[in-house]
Amino acid sequence: MERLFPVQDEDLDYESIYEVLLQLYLNPIDVNRASAEILAGSYLLDPLQISNLISYRAKFGMLISLYELQAVPGFDLKTIEQILPFLTLGAGSSNQTQTFWKRITTEEQAYFILRHRRTWETRKGFTPPDTSSTGKISSRYLGDPNEFYLRFRIQHSRDFSLGFTLDKDPGEPFTWDGKTARYGFNFLSFHFTKYYVGKWKTIALGDFQAQFGQGLVFGAGYSLGKGAETVPTVRRSSIGILPYTAALEFGFFRGAGITYQSGKWQSSLIASYAPRDGRTSSSLDTLSKEDLTISSFNQSGLHRTSSELETKNQFREINLGGNIQFTSGKLQAGSNYLFTKFDRSWIKEPTLYNQFDFAGKSNQVGSIYLNYNWKNFFLFGESAISQSAGRGNVLGFISSLSKEVDFSLLWRKYDKDFHSFYANSFSESTRPVNEQAVYLGISIKPIPKWKINFYYDYFKFPWLRYRVYAPSKGYEWLGRLTFQPKRNLTAFLQIREEQKDRNLSDSGEPALPYQIRPLNKINGLLSLEYQVSKTFFFRSRILFSRVNFNDQKSSGFMILQDAQYSFSKFRVTGRVALFDTDDYDTRLYAFENNVLWTFSIPAFSGQGMRYYLLAQYKINSQFTTYFRFSRTAYTDREVISSGLQEISGSIQSETTVLLRYMLHR
């Protein structure tokens, strides 16, 4: 999962990306029935391997064993070992002879998870409020510092999935208040999805997501994008309607989604009515409630203070949409449509850069897309238009030029007034808007023990952006050299450079307003991983960064040592790390092991030490416990963070406890 993850960034939705990859692991692909589209969407195989597998099945029929993959051209033992956990021969569907209720009550993939997390140093938000000289009482958090997460789920691949997720963030109170939809926990998500009921391929009730085409209309809330896997991750796959199981409080549909399949045709319908968090504003000449407008949406999901609580479920959002898709052999073509309506008009506070953003009460966006598998080429594209007449376009291909070389090319163009609320296509920005770019990716395996990954992305922003008040351009490239002399030993060197324009700070001297200069950032990573034995593993890494902006240079580095030891029913993982960066721009991201269903890539800036210890104990076949203690000790400050998150001191400690109970083992 770490290898497939995109380049680290503050704006990435890590939880949703992790969730989708985890579902791939929990719901293996049927290698005998999966189409080229499904295989490509797993990011496990290159185009040549996929083409060879499809040809092998057509010539010799279904595989008898997964190890028969050794007979498929392009599948070496190393590749097979890596992909085995994600594949199946369709075993497990035999229980279809049982009644649906019987399958639910006996399913092995049925579990409860309870997670508690807490920062033990007192944040300002949990201290007694102050009273100013004017008599105004300062804001504080309404609840306690504990975070609770509860999940229940029963699922069987290609049969059904049902469950719910409850979540309370630190600072949010446990309370029962129907007006704000707080029933103990602050957030509740639920779903029921049934697959293959006659010609009904999918029936989803409750919370769900959708992904069709290249994500210009339906983006499923996640994308891999640019990362160490430089070739396969540029392409999206039409995986259709899928359950929403994350704890993020936005970016999903709530209602019903169905998919009907008849021969080569497939049609999907989506109907959603969901509350949304946000703030209202009104003009000075009216106090009428009907004239209130949406000024901003709150996507943090946090409701810790009275001010944040005022944003909860303030608006209603209706979504009606659908998809029609035709699949014939190596060709897949389809069309998407989504109508979105709010119960009040959304009018943002005007700024220099948001003049072409969406404004109004409703939006429509539609698209057509095409995927074609020709020999060792996967060609794909999608073109969309929104109600504003703004357009979004993606066109590209992935190819295996030979057994040793894979290549990808992607062109994209998003107008400054393209509006698509559930889009998540390949882009440099967090949204596909105001961008023109070309991406080139290549992967080379010159000899079995060596692998080279490289990409180059050139992008332009025709209109203004946040902190960039002029049309701008930039580029980004990443190179990764991997050496694996043995199955249990891997080393790699990765270097990434990115250059974007940014506004110069106001110096107070007479000058042209909003001057911009290029900000150049270089990040590097040197890693060594060694599985010493079945019980002992270690990882050593050195990370560094360098930033140059307006002839001002800054840098940072981090060294870390991981170790993991397993014995009997225990597994213990630990890390010790030292970091030293000049400023926030040179911050460094470091992937960390965490408890089950929890993903962590924190950013570090300043000077200090980071360490954590993660313990796992399997009590029996049904009950597993996890405990994690982490601490960051800074040497360059006496105050951590700011505002209500401020900690008076130089140490921040956190514990996480997770209990998992499997119902039928």
Side-chain angles (χ1 to χ4, degrees):
M1 291 182 176
E2 183 193 10
R3 179 174 56 84
L4 280 173
F5 253 66
V7 171
Q8 284 74 48
D9 188 272
E10 290 284 304
D11 298 320
L12 286 177
D13 177 5
Y14 291 118
E15 185 174 339
S16 287
I17 301 172
Y18 174 76
E19 187 74 27
V20 172
L21 292 175
L22 185 63
Q23 293 313 313
L24 172 62
Y25 176 75
L26 294 175
N27 298 279
I29 296 170
D30 186 349
V31 72
N32 277 326
R33 294 180 173 83
S35 64
E37 174 74 6
I38 293 174
L39 291 169
S42 70
Y43 308 111
L44 297 172
L45 303 172
D46 62 45
L48 181 60
Q49 291 170 328
I50 294 172
S51 180
N52 289 343
L53 177 58
I54 299 294
S55 300
Y56 183 90
R57 287 190 332 208
K59 186 175 181 179
F60 299 104
M62 292 188 177
L63 280 69
I64 300 173
S65 165
L66 288 176
Y67 291 97
E68 191 181 343
L69 288 169
Q70 295 176 84
V72 181
F75 282 74
D76 55 23
L77 193 58
K78 177 182 173 183
T79 300
I80 295 171
E81 288 173 344
Q82 289 177 340
I83 66 176
L84 277 182
F86 303 95
L87 301 179
T88 180
L89 290 176
S93 59
S94 59
N95 69 346
Q96 294 291 327
T97 56
Q98 300 177 345
T99 64
F100 179 55
W101 176 248
K102 183 69 173 178
R103 298 201 303 274
I104 289 179
T105 56
T106 59
E107 174 55 45
E108 286 190 358
Q109 281 291 331
Y111 58 83
F112 278 99
I113 281 181
L114 175 63
R115 185 184 72 201
H116 169 269
R117 183 159 50 189
R118 174 168 178 164
T119 297
W120 289 96
E121 287 73 24
T122 302
R123 298 188 185 276
K124 186 176 180 180
F126 300 108
T127 62
D130 301 322
T131 303
S132 67
S133 57
T134 60
K136 183 179 180 180
I137 300 176
S138 59
S139 176
R140 290 294 187 266
Y141 293 148
L142 301 173
D144 58 68
N146 298 296
E147 174 187 331
F148 287 101
Y149 171 93
L150 176 66
R151 166 187 277 189
F152 167 71
R153 190 174 187 186
I154 303 177
Q155 63 174 357
H156 188 89
S157 180
R158 300 173 301 281
D159 188 4
F160 64 87
S161 175
L162 61 96
F164 60 83
T165 301
L166 298 167
D167 180 65
K168 184 198 91 74
D169 294 309
E172 295 175 342
F174 265 108
T175 186
W176 193 277
D177 184 5
K179 293 182 180 179
T180 55
R182 292 181 296 166
Y183 305 103
F185 289 84
N186 181 75
F187 174 68
L188 165 64
S189 176
F190 53 91
H191 78 273
F192 171 78
T193 305
K194 183 73 179 73
Y195 302 98
Y196 301 108
V197 181
K199 291 187 177 181
W200 297 98
K201 184 179 179 181
T202 308
I203 302 173
L205 302 175
D207 297 344
F208 62 94
Q209 293 181 305
Q211 178 165 313
F212 296 101
Q214 296 306 306
L216 287 176
V217 177
F218 297 110
Y222 85 102
S223 62
L224 293 179
K226 292 180 284 189
E229 282 299 313
T230 54
V231 174
T233 55
V234 302
R235 181 184 182 275
R236 308 288 184 264
S237 291
S238 294
I239 57 179
I241 295 172
L242 65 159
Y244 180 74
T245 56
L248 296 169
E249 301 183 26
F250 67 96
F252 59 89
F253 299 113
R254 176 166 288 179
I258 56 174
T259 298
Y260 183 82
Q261 185 154 10
S262 178
K264 298 178 180 180
W265 289 91
Q266 173 184 292
S267 58
S268 301
L269 293 175
I270 288 171
S272 170
Y273 180 76
R276 294 290 183 249
D277 294 354
R279 296 194 180 278
T280 59
S281 64
S282 61
S283 58
L284 295 176
D285 58 351
T286 179
L287 294 177
S288 171
K289 184 176 181 180
E290 287 74 16
D291 293 326
L292 293 175
T293 60
I294 306 171
S295 60
S296 64
F297 280 95
N298 174 19
Q299 294 187 340
S300 70
L302 299 174
H303 306 97
R304 304 163 298 183
T305 65
S306 299
S307 177
E308 290 177 346
L309 189 58
E310 288 174 358
T311 69
K312 186 169 177 61
N313 294 352
Q314 289 298 301
F315 316 110
R316 297 296 182 270
E317 176 187 295
I318 297 174
N319 282 284
L320 298 172
N323 165 269
I324 297 177
Q325 185 171 283
F326 174 78
T327 304
S328 178
K330 299 179 179 180
L331 172 69
Q332 184 182 80
S335 178
N336 296 309
Y337 173 78
L338 181 64
F339 169 77
T340 303
K341 184 176 181 180
F342 305 104
D343 61 346
R344 297 176 187 169
S345 294
W346 184 9
I347 302 176
K348 295 182 179 180
E349 183 177 343
T351 63
L352 285 170
Y353 61 88
N354 73 359
Q355 298 178 37
F356 295 95
D357 283 7
F358 171 80
K361 204 169 185 177
S362 64
N363 183 56
Q364 301 180 67
V365 58
S367 74
I368 56 174
Y369 62 88
L370 183 72
N371 302 316
Y372 186 68
N373 174 212
W374 177 68
K375 294 185 178 180
N376 300 333
F377 285 79
F378 280 100
L379 299 98
F380 57 90
E382 184 174 11
S383 180
I385 184 170
S386 62
Q387 183 173 286
S388 61
R391 296 178 181 272
N393 295 284
V394 175
L395 185 64
F397 71 85
I398 297 174
S399 173
S400 288
L401 304 180
S402 69
K403 288 177 61 177
E404 295 79 21
V405 181
D406 297 330
F407 181 78
S408 63
L409 172 67
L410 183 120
W411 170 84
R412 59 196 189 271
K413 182 180 180 182
Y414 310 126
D415 291 347
K416 59 181 179 293
D417 57 347
F418 176 61
H419 306 143
S420 185
F421 302 136
Y422 289 87
N424 209 349
S425 57
F426 192 100
S427 64
E428 171 63 23
S429 306
T430 53
R431 296 182 297 137
V433 64
N434 183 35
E435 183 176 322
Q436 300 175 21
V438 176
Y439 172 98
L440 301 171
I442 191 168
S443 176
I444 305 173
K445 305 169 189 173
I447 55 177
K449 296 178 181 180
W450 292 87
K451 185 178 181 182
I452 302 169
N453 293 86
F454 179 83
Y455 74 72
Y456 183 85
D457 193 33
Y458 176 78
F459 37 82
K460 295 193 299 184
F461 307 107
W463 184 242
L464 283 59
R465 304 172 67 230
Y466 175 65
R467 298 182 74 181
V468 190
Y469 291 167
S472 59
K473 60 184 179 181
Y475 66 85
E476 180 181 340
W477 64 264
L478 179 145
R480 180 166 174 151
L481 177 64
T482 304
F483 176 55
Q484 189 171 9
K486 295 187 289 186
R487 177 183 171 186
N488 59 344
L489 178 62
T490 303
F492 68 83
L493 172 65
Q494 177 177 298
I495 298 177
R496 167 179 170 256
E497 180 182 11
E498 180 187 49
Q499 183 165 299
K500 290 182 184 178
D501 292 329
R502 181 188 289 184
N503 290 342
L504 281 178
S505 300
D506 187 2
S507 64
E509 299 178 2
L512 292 174
Y514 307 122
Q515 290 183 312
I516 63 173
R517 292 287 188 275
L519 185 147
N520 183 275
K521 182 183 296 186
I522 294 178
N523 290 91
L525 170 59
L526 179 63
S527 176
L528 175 67
E529 299 180 2
Y530 185 33
Q531 186 75 46
V532 181
S533 65
K534 289 184 178 181
T535 59
F536 184 62
F537 166 84
F538 77 82
R539 177 194 296 121
S540 304
R541 287 186 172 176
I542 301 174
L543 300 86
F544 68 88
S545 62
R546 191 210 68 181
V547 171
N548 188 349
F549 179 58
N550 197 29
D551 295 327
Q552 299 292 319
K553 297 181 179 179
S554 56
S555 61
F557 81 92
M558 184 176 192
I559 57 174
L560 62 87
Q561 179 62 56
D562 292 345
Q564 185 178 96
Y565 184 66
S566 304
F567 55 98
S568 184
K569 298 181 179 181
F570 283 93
R571 176 185 295 169
V572 179
T573 306
R575 164 175 296 178
V576 177
L578 298 172
F579 58 92
D580 186 347
T581 76
D582 293 336
D583 50 35
Y584 185 70
D585 280 336
T586 53
R587 64 191 179 277
L588 293 162
Y589 294 87
F591 162 81
E592 294 186 350
N593 294 94
N594 214 315
V595 301
L596 189 68
W597 266 275
T598 309
F599 199 81
S600 179
I601 308 184
F604 298 96
S605 62
Q607 292 83 44
M609 173 184 287
R610 169 74 169 180
Y611 52 92
Y612 68 80
L613 188 68
L614 171 64
Q616 173 185 342
Y617 177 59
K618 189 173 183 179
I619 298 174
N620 54 43
S621 61
Q622 292 181 279
F623 202 48
T624 307
T625 62
Y626 299 79
F627 175 77
R628 185 178 190 261
F629 174 81
S630 62
R631 172 170 285 184
T632 306
Y634 294 93
T635 59
D636 65 335
R637 67 195 68 178
E638 293 300 325
V639 174
I640 301 174
S641 194
S642 60
L644 296 183
Q645 287 290 92
E646 179 180 294
I647 295 174
S648 180
S650 60
I651 294 176
Q652 182 173 338
S653 308
E654 181 182 279
T655 58
T656 306
V657 179
L658 184 142
L659 308 176
R660 182 185 68 170
Y661 180 72
M662 307 293 293
L663 270 65
H664 305 125
R665 284 194 178 181

